[in-house]
mmCIF file of all heavy atoms in Angstrom:
data_model
loop_
_atom_site.group_PDB
_atom_site.id
_atom_site.type_symbol
_atom_site.label_atom_id
_atom_site.label_comp_id
_atom_site.label_asym_id
_atom_site.label_seq_id
_atom_site.Cartn_x
_atom_site.Cartn_y
_atom_site.Cartn_z
ATOM 1 N N GLU A 65 114.574 -103.479 73.837
ATOM 2 C CA GLU A 65 113.943 -102.144 74.100
ATOM 3 C C GLU A 65 114.962 -101.230 74.751
ATOM 4 O O GLU A 65 114.998 -100.046 74.511
ATOM 5 C CB GLU A 65 112.721 -102.302 75.022
ATOM 6 C CG GLU A 65 111.481 -102.927 74.392
ATOM 7 C CD GLU A 65 110.816 -102.018 73.437
ATOM 8 O OE1 GLU A 65 110.709 -100.811 73.708
ATOM 9 O OE2 GLU A 65 110.332 -102.547 72.362
ATOM 10 N N THR A 66 115.731 -101.787 75.672
ATOM 11 C CA THR A 66 116.573 -101.023 76.596
ATOM 12 C C THR A 66 117.958 -100.796 76.025
ATOM 13 O O THR A 66 118.816 -100.210 76.666
ATOM 14 C CB THR A 66 116.654 -101.759 77.918
ATOM 15 O OG1 THR A 66 117.011 -103.173 77.612
ATOM 16 C CG2 THR A 66 115.366 -101.750 78.691
ATOM 17 N N ARG A 67 118.199 -101.259 74.794
ATOM 18 C CA ARG A 67 119.520 -101.112 74.145
ATOM 19 C C ARG A 67 120.633 -101.646 75.059
ATOM 20 O O ARG A 67 121.656 -100.991 75.213
ATOM 21 C CB ARG A 67 119.785 -99.609 73.823
ATOM 22 C CG ARG A 67 118.592 -98.807 73.403
ATOM 23 C CD ARG A 67 118.033 -99.214 72.055
ATOM 24 N NE ARG A 67 118.891 -98.836 70.977
ATOM 25 C CZ ARG A 67 119.087 -99.651 69.904
ATOM 26 N NH1 ARG A 67 118.617 -100.863 69.844
ATOM 27 N NH2 ARG A 67 119.853 -99.270 68.924
ATOM 28 N N SER A 68 120.402 -102.847 75.599
ATOM 29 C CA SER A 68 121.339 -103.388 76.558
ATOM 30 C C SER A 68 121.719 -104.845 76.221
ATOM 31 O O SER A 68 122.277 -105.518 77.070
ATOM 32 C CB SER A 68 120.715 -103.312 77.987
ATOM 33 O OG SER A 68 119.518 -104.051 77.987
ATOM 34 N N GLU A 69 121.338 -105.300 75.030
ATOM 35 C CA GLU A 69 121.628 -106.721 74.705
ATOM 36 C C GLU A 69 122.375 -106.779 73.407
ATOM 37 O O GLU A 69 121.872 -107.268 72.370
ATOM 38 C CB GLU A 69 120.301 -107.512 74.687
ATOM 39 C CG GLU A 69 119.710 -107.723 76.033
ATOM 40 C CD GLU A 69 118.289 -108.283 76.014
ATOM 41 O OE1 GLU A 69 117.979 -109.109 75.119
ATOM 42 O OE2 GLU A 69 117.480 -107.836 76.854
ATOM 43 N N LEU A 70 123.600 -106.259 73.392
ATOM 44 C CA LEU A 70 124.442 -106.223 72.210
ATOM 45 C C LEU A 70 124.890 -107.632 71.874
ATOM 46 O O LEU A 70 125.290 -108.388 72.736
ATOM 47 C CB LEU A 70 125.687 -105.348 72.490
ATOM 48 C CG LEU A 70 126.587 -105.186 71.287
ATOM 49 C CD1 LEU A 70 125.976 -104.297 70.215
ATOM 50 C CD2 LEU A 70 127.933 -104.622 71.753
ATOM 51 N N ARG A 71 124.713 -108.007 70.562
ATOM 52 C CA ARG A 71 125.249 -109.273 70.099
ATOM 53 C C ARG A 71 126.272 -108.958 68.993
ATOM 54 O O ARG A 71 126.002 -108.139 68.133
ATOM 55 C CB ARG A 71 124.150 -110.094 69.487
ATOM 56 C CG ARG A 71 123.031 -110.565 70.402
ATOM 57 C CD ARG A 71 121.984 -111.181 69.543
ATOM 58 N NE ARG A 71 120.745 -111.462 70.223
ATOM 59 C CZ ARG A 71 120.457 -112.614 70.779
ATOM 60 N NH1 ARG A 71 121.277 -113.640 70.784
ATOM 61 N NH2 ARG A 71 119.244 -112.811 71.384
ATOM 62 N N VAL A 72 127.363 -109.634 69.052
ATOM 63 C CA VAL A 72 128.469 -109.458 68.088
ATOM 64 C C VAL A 72 128.565 -110.756 67.226
ATOM 65 O O VAL A 72 128.604 -111.819 67.740
ATOM 66 C CB VAL A 72 129.834 -109.203 68.825
ATOM 67 C CG1 VAL A 72 130.998 -109.185 67.835
ATOM 68 C CG2 VAL A 72 129.771 -107.963 69.639
ATOM 69 N N PHE A 73 128.597 -110.544 65.943
ATOM 70 C CA PHE A 73 128.748 -111.705 65.023
ATOM 71 C C PHE A 73 129.937 -111.369 64.097
ATOM 72 O O PHE A 73 129.858 -110.453 63.269
ATOM 73 C CB PHE A 73 127.501 -111.859 64.151
ATOM 74 C CG PHE A 73 126.225 -112.108 64.904
ATOM 75 C CD1 PHE A 73 125.473 -111.075 65.399
ATOM 76 C CD2 PHE A 73 125.710 -113.404 64.982
ATOM 77 C CE1 PHE A 73 124.268 -111.291 66.050
ATOM 78 C CE2 PHE A 73 124.497 -113.649 65.658
ATOM 79 C CZ PHE A 73 123.812 -112.588 66.207
ATOM 80 N N VAL A 74 131.043 -112.140 64.248
ATOM 81 C CA VAL A 74 132.121 -112.025 63.375
ATOM 82 C C VAL A 74 132.105 -113.226 62.408
ATOM 83 O O VAL A 74 131.859 -114.373 62.843
ATOM 84 C CB VAL A 74 133.473 -111.939 64.168
ATOM 85 C CG1 VAL A 74 134.664 -111.844 63.172
ATOM 86 C CG2 VAL A 74 133.469 -110.764 65.124
ATOM 87 N N ASN A 75 132.303 -113.001 61.161
ATOM 88 C CA ASN A 75 132.243 -114.042 60.094
ATOM 89 C C ASN A 75 130.917 -114.854 60.177
ATOM 90 O O ASN A 75 130.941 -116.077 60.187
ATOM 91 C CB ASN A 75 133.452 -115.007 60.257
ATOM 92 C CG ASN A 75 134.783 -114.287 60.093
ATOM 93 O OD1 ASN A 75 134.890 -113.364 59.274
ATOM 94 N ND2 ASN A 75 135.770 -114.740 60.822
ATOM 95 N N PRO A 76 129.802 -114.213 60.242
ATOM 96 C CA PRO A 76 128.524 -114.973 60.372
ATOM 97 C C PRO A 76 128.174 -115.651 59.037
ATOM 98 O O PRO A 76 128.388 -115.100 57.938
ATOM 99 C CB PRO A 76 127.442 -113.875 60.617
ATOM 100 C CG PRO A 76 128.044 -112.586 60.014
ATOM 101 C CD PRO A 76 129.534 -112.736 60.182
ATOM 102 N N THR A 77 127.669 -116.844 59.118
ATOM 103 C CA THR A 77 127.168 -117.576 57.943
ATOM 104 C C THR A 77 125.866 -118.282 58.306
ATOM 105 O O THR A 77 125.711 -118.765 59.441
ATOM 106 C CB THR A 77 128.131 -118.648 57.412
ATOM 107 O OG1 THR A 77 128.465 -119.533 58.513
ATOM 108 C CG2 THR A 77 129.404 -118.044 56.877
ATOM 109 N N LEU A 78 124.984 -118.395 57.379
ATOM 110 C CA LEU A 78 123.726 -119.142 57.587
ATOM 111 C C LEU A 78 124.053 -120.641 57.357
ATOM 112 O O LEU A 78 124.591 -120.984 56.323
ATOM 113 C CB LEU A 78 122.641 -118.740 56.600
ATOM 114 C CG LEU A 78 122.100 -117.325 56.705
ATOM 115 C CD1 LEU A 78 120.978 -117.122 55.747
ATOM 116 C CD2 LEU A 78 121.690 -116.927 58.131
ATOM 117 N N THR A 79 123.788 -121.446 58.376
ATOM 118 C CA THR A 79 124.007 -122.902 58.215
ATOM 119 C C THR A 79 122.745 -123.613 57.821
ATOM 120 O O THR A 79 122.722 -124.752 57.423
ATOM 121 C CB THR A 79 124.584 -123.520 59.477
ATOM 122 O OG1 THR A 79 123.739 -123.209 60.585
ATOM 123 C CG2 THR A 79 125.954 -122.970 59.767
ATOM 124 N N TRP A 80 121.623 -122.917 57.979
ATOM 125 C CA TRP A 80 120.317 -123.473 57.625
ATOM 126 C C TRP A 80 119.290 -122.369 57.511
ATOM 127 O O TRP A 80 119.371 -121.341 58.209
ATOM 128 C CB TRP A 80 119.872 -124.431 58.768
ATOM 129 C CG TRP A 80 118.471 -125.018 58.621
ATOM 130 C CD1 TRP A 80 118.104 -126.036 57.790
ATOM 131 C CD2 TRP A 80 117.292 -124.602 59.269
ATOM 132 N NE1 TRP A 80 116.747 -126.238 57.930
ATOM 133 C CE2 TRP A 80 116.218 -125.354 58.831
ATOM 134 C CE3 TRP A 80 117.039 -123.564 60.206
ATOM 135 C CZ2 TRP A 80 114.946 -125.183 59.317
ATOM 136 C CZ3 TRP A 80 115.735 -123.357 60.697
ATOM 137 C CH2 TRP A 80 114.702 -124.227 60.256
ATOM 138 N N ALA A 81 118.381 -122.500 56.596
ATOM 139 C CA ALA A 81 117.263 -121.574 56.436
ATOM 140 C C ALA A 81 115.989 -122.385 56.263
ATOM 141 O O ALA A 81 115.971 -123.348 55.540
ATOM 142 C CB ALA A 81 117.478 -120.626 55.253
ATOM 143 N N SER A 82 114.909 -121.985 56.936
ATOM 144 C CA SER A 82 113.691 -122.748 56.864
ATOM 145 C C SER A 82 113.081 -122.571 55.495
ATOM 146 O O SER A 82 113.172 -121.546 54.865
ATOM 147 C CB SER A 82 112.668 -122.248 57.939
ATOM 148 O OG SER A 82 112.286 -120.934 57.647
ATOM 149 N N PRO A 83 112.401 -123.611 55.034
ATOM 150 C CA PRO A 83 111.644 -123.451 53.762
ATOM 151 C C PRO A 83 110.467 -122.509 53.867
ATOM 152 O O PRO A 83 110.125 -121.889 52.920
ATOM 153 C CB PRO A 83 111.179 -124.917 53.379
ATOM 154 C CG PRO A 83 111.272 -125.719 54.674
ATOM 155 C CD PRO A 83 112.331 -124.999 55.563
ATOM 156 N N GLU A 84 109.983 -122.379 55.138
ATOM 157 C CA GLU A 84 108.883 -121.456 55.365
ATOM 158 C C GLU A 84 109.406 -120.015 55.285
ATOM 159 O O GLU A 84 110.531 -119.764 55.803
ATOM 160 C CB GLU A 84 108.219 -121.604 56.703
ATOM 161 C CG GLU A 84 107.652 -123.014 56.984
ATOM 162 C CD GLU A 84 108.766 -124.046 57.411
ATOM 163 O OE1 GLU A 84 109.576 -123.646 58.243
ATOM 164 O OE2 GLU A 84 108.765 -125.157 56.899
ATOM 165 N N THR A 85 108.632 -119.166 54.708
ATOM 166 C CA THR A 85 109.050 -117.756 54.605
ATOM 167 C C THR A 85 108.131 -116.857 55.448
ATOM 168 O O THR A 85 107.096 -117.330 55.861
ATOM 169 C CB THR A 85 109.054 -117.221 53.149
ATOM 170 O OG1 THR A 85 107.755 -117.376 52.599
ATOM 171 C CG2 THR A 85 110.040 -117.973 52.304
ATOM 172 N N ALA A 86 108.618 -115.644 55.722
ATOM 173 C CA ALA A 86 107.780 -114.699 56.460
ATOM 174 C C ALA A 86 108.060 -113.337 55.885
ATOM 175 O O ALA A 86 109.164 -113.060 55.406
ATOM 176 C CB ALA A 86 108.141 -114.722 57.954
ATOM 177 N N GLU A 87 106.976 -112.510 55.887
ATOM 178 C CA GLU A 87 107.119 -111.149 55.353
ATOM 179 C C GLU A 87 107.268 -110.220 56.498
ATOM 180 O O GLU A 87 106.488 -110.242 57.489
ATOM 181 C CB GLU A 87 105.845 -110.837 54.544
ATOM 182 C CG GLU A 87 105.974 -109.547 53.783
ATOM 183 C CD GLU A 87 104.708 -109.285 52.991
ATOM 184 O OE1 GLU A 87 103.637 -109.047 53.613
ATOM 185 O OE2 GLU A 87 104.722 -109.296 51.769
ATOM 186 N N GLY A 88 108.259 -109.339 56.490
ATOM 187 C CA GLY A 88 108.468 -108.354 57.605
ATOM 188 C C GLY A 88 108.806 -106.982 57.004
ATOM 189 O O GLY A 88 109.354 -106.870 55.924
ATOM 190 N N GLU A 89 108.448 -105.953 57.774
ATOM 191 C CA GLU A 89 108.701 -104.598 57.378
ATOM 192 C C GLU A 89 110.217 -104.354 57.672
ATOM 193 O O GLU A 89 110.681 -104.606 58.751
ATOM 194 C CB GLU A 89 107.836 -103.657 58.180
ATOM 195 C CG GLU A 89 107.943 -102.184 57.832
ATOM 196 C CD GLU A 89 107.037 -101.776 56.687
ATOM 197 O OE1 GLU A 89 106.390 -102.617 56.112
ATOM 198 O OE2 GLU A 89 106.962 -100.545 56.474
#
Side-chain angles (χ1 to χ4, degrees):
E65 287 288 322
T66 49
R67 322 294 287 138
S68 61
E69 291 168 36
L70 182 71
R71 295 174 192 265
V72 174
F73 300 84
V74 178
N75 300 325
T77 54
L78 296 186
T79 55
W80 174 80
S82 66
E84 303 81 44
T85 58
E87 190 181 64
E89 183 89 353

